[in-house]
Amino acid sequence: PDTGAVDLGYHYAGGVSQAYAELYVATNGVDTQDGTSWVNALRSVGKALALARDGTHIHIGGGIYSNGVEQFPLLLDKPGVQLLGTNRSLVFLQATGSSRNVVTVEGASGDARIEALQMTGGYPVNLDGGGFRIVGSDLAIADCVIISNRTINNLNWGVGYGGGVYSANAYVAMTGCDLNGNQFVNAFWGYGGGICIVSGAWSIRDTIVRNNSCSSGYSAPYGGGLYISGGAHVLTNCVIQGNITTYGDGIHV
């Protein structure tokens, strides 16, 4: 009823905990520590993601975070969570041997961000997006290398999307990235060796998409570098080079 009072909404009784506002991961860390400083760093990115709350910033030190230490895919599914590497030439998320993609992003929003990381070795079977799988999210990806990821669909009449990145109904700002040597292979139909975007809206700036490929076992594939189906997207100051497929070596829209 209109009583003239202003309803400011729900308030947490004890306020918002700052215990996990910043988490730290290092190759000499230990997952039984609290991860709230470099001295008490965690060993795995997966453990940090499990501890993360809305808005947590996860700082990742130089080194290789590989299958066995990590359980791939790494799942980012909370608003505002950020994965922040120290340097993309020093921090490797390496999914080799896992038969999974490297990072899955579902339902991320706010200022969710992935920065200064190198993602490699993703090889999911009958699942889209070798390096990244991004669904229904709002995300920034900056200064990352997405290299030598593959995806394969060996089902009868199987359709596959995105050797390096698959995105569906997502809003993504990608800046200063390098997508190199990713591929989609052996599908009935194949779409997007480097990036496959379905609906949503992407802004891609200062990014190189090179040496990616898309092949199929039956019908001719589309978009060696970049495949787009629906949505509103802008590419600014990008290089699309040396990609290979049947329809649209560089870009198929």
Side-chain angles (χ1 to χ4, degrees), residues 25-192:
V25 182
T27 54
N28 62 350
V30 179
D31 274 349
T32 55
Q33 299 183 138
D34 63 19
T36 56
S37 67
W38 285 118
V39 173
N40 295 311
L42 301 165
R43 175 61 183 91
S44 66
V45 179
K47 179 65 174 181
L49 285 167
L51 291 174
R53 303 293 185 263
D54 293 3
T56 297
H57 293 181
I58 299 172
H59 305 273
I60 306 171
I64 299 173
Y65 300 86
S66 59
N67 184 43
V69 173
E70 303 289 350
Q71 296 296 313
F72 291 100
L74 299 172
L75 177 61
L76 197 163
D77 62 351
K78 300 182 181 75
V81 171
Q82 299 188 2
L83 295 179
L84 306 172
T86 53
N87 187 311
R88 76 180 195 180
S89 65
L90 299 176
V91 185
F92 301 86
L93 304 183
Q94 189 174 85
T96 304
S98 69
S99 297
R100 298 290 187 271
N101 58 322
V102 183
V103 176
T104 292
V105 182
E106 294 182 354
S109 59
D111 59 349
R113 186 176 185 87
I114 297 176
E115 180 177 326
L117 298 170
Q118 188 161 158
M119 281 144 285
T120 187
Y123 189 27
V125 177
N126 304 330
L127 185 65
D128 304 315
F132 270 112
R133 185 174 187 271
I134 307 168
V135 178
S137 294
D138 189 344
L139 176 71
I141 304 172
D143 194 31
C144 287
V145 176
I146 303 164
I147 185 171
S148 299
N149 300 284
R150 294 189 295 165
T151 189
I152 183 172
N153 191 318
N154 56 19
L155 299 175
N156 289 334
W157 302 93
V159 179
Y161 305 89
V165 179
Y166 170 72
S167 170
N169 302 311
Y171 296 82
V172 178
M174 175 178 277
T175 306
C177 292
D178 184 359
L179 291 98
N180 185 3
N182 304 286
Q183 59 179 316
F184 194 97
V185 296
N186 196 36
F188 190 78
W189 283 290
Y191 298 90

